[in-house]
Amino acid sequence: METSGRTLKQRVYDEFGEFLIIALYLWVIFGLLELHKSMVLAEHHIDFTYHGLALINAWALAKVMLAARHLHLGKQFNEAPLIYLTLLKSALFTIVLACFKISEDAVVGWFRRESFHQSIADLGGGTGSGVLTLALLVFALLIPFVGYGELRRVLGEGTLETIFFRYRCSLGEEKQQDVAKSGSSQT
């Protein structure tokens, strides 16, 4: 059951790892937004303690984002300059996430017999400008995540991880090591 050199088990493992990374990133974003909201409301002496929802939202929206990745949104622009592609994909992911979240809240509200406006009241206060502001925040916060993914794609598998997560010696030491290697290979 091999597909392009990878077994089903390897593909599932890779997908699950990708899902965890997306969920962790979204959890951090949503957690910080919830923390900010609770701090603003605390200034007005209003209790707010829905921090657990950030994790649930992160898991749900990570699945949506992973599915959106498999739709290859913006793939036709893969040869464009990386900044344009990063901004475009961040915008596309923001639209997908916003549409899913609004739809999810509307369905939950429908089961609770709430109006559409009541069901999305938690999204930026339920107003159009509040939802747009929240979407712009998510867009801005997705840019580094999408940019990292695009750099990883362009540089090749493992290169960016090596650059970010391995210990490096100073530039002078690297040159000395290169000279020593080339000198030992000539003898």
Side-chain angles (χ1 to χ4, degrees):
M1 246 218 252
E2 297 223 4
T3 305
S4 70
R6 292 176 30 206
T7 65
L8 178 62
K9 185 177 179 181
Q10 289 170 326
R11 288 193 333 234
V12 168
Y13 179 77
D14 290 344
E15 290 290 321
F16 186 69
E18 217 176 315
F19 167 76
L20 286 178
I21 290 169
I22 293 170
L24 178 65
Y25 189 79
L26 291 175
W27 181 48
V28 168
I29 288 174
F30 297 150
L32 289 172
L33 289 173
E34 292 294 323
L35 181 63
H36 179 261
K37 185 177 183 178
S38 68
M39 291 173 61
V40 169
L41 290 174
E43 289 176 0
H44 299 284
H45 309 291
I46 300 171
D47 288 333
F48 177 79
T49 56
Y50 295 119
H51 299 290
L53 291 179
L55 181 60
I56 295 166
N57 283 330
W59 281 84
L61 293 176
K63 289 190 290 186
V64 171
M65 202 162 157
L66 195 58
R69 270 189 174 182
H70 288 292
L71 294 176
H72 303 290
L73 296 176
K75 186 178 183 178
Q76 64 270 30
F77 301 105
N78 275 355
E79 300 306 316
L82 210 51
I83 186 66
Y84 298 136
L85 187 59
T86 299
L87 293 174
L88 174 71
K89 285 188 175 183
S90 296
L92 290 172
F93 283 132
T94 300
I95 291 168
V96 167
L97 292 175
C99 288
F100 178 80
K101 186 63 180 154
I102 290 169
S103 300
E104 177 190 34
D105 285 356
V107 168
V108 169
W110 181 74
F111 280 111
R112 293 180 182 166
R113 301 192 190 283
E114 297 174 342
S115 70
F116 178 76
H117 189 297
Q118 290 171 324
S119 63
I120 65 164
D122 285 342
L123 290 176
T127 65
S129 60
V131 171
L132 180 62
T133 301
L134 190 58
L136 288 172
L137 277 169
V138 171
F139 167 72
L141 294 168
L142 282 177
I143 291 172
F145 183 77
V146 172
Y148 183 89
E150 289 305 309
L151 272 174
R152 186 173 176 232
R153 181 185 59 81
V154 169
L155 294 176
E157 197 70 30
T159 304
L160 199 56
E161 288 82 3
T162 301
I163 292 169
F164 269 96
F165 300 111
R166 77 170 178 131
Y167 289 103
R168 297 184 313 258
C169 50
S170 69
L171 186 58
E173 292 174 16
E174 285 182 21
K175 285 183 180 179
Q176 290 174 355
Q177 290 174 355
D178 289 342
V179 169
K181 286 180 187 176
S182 65
S184 64
S185 63
Q186 292 175 355
T187 56

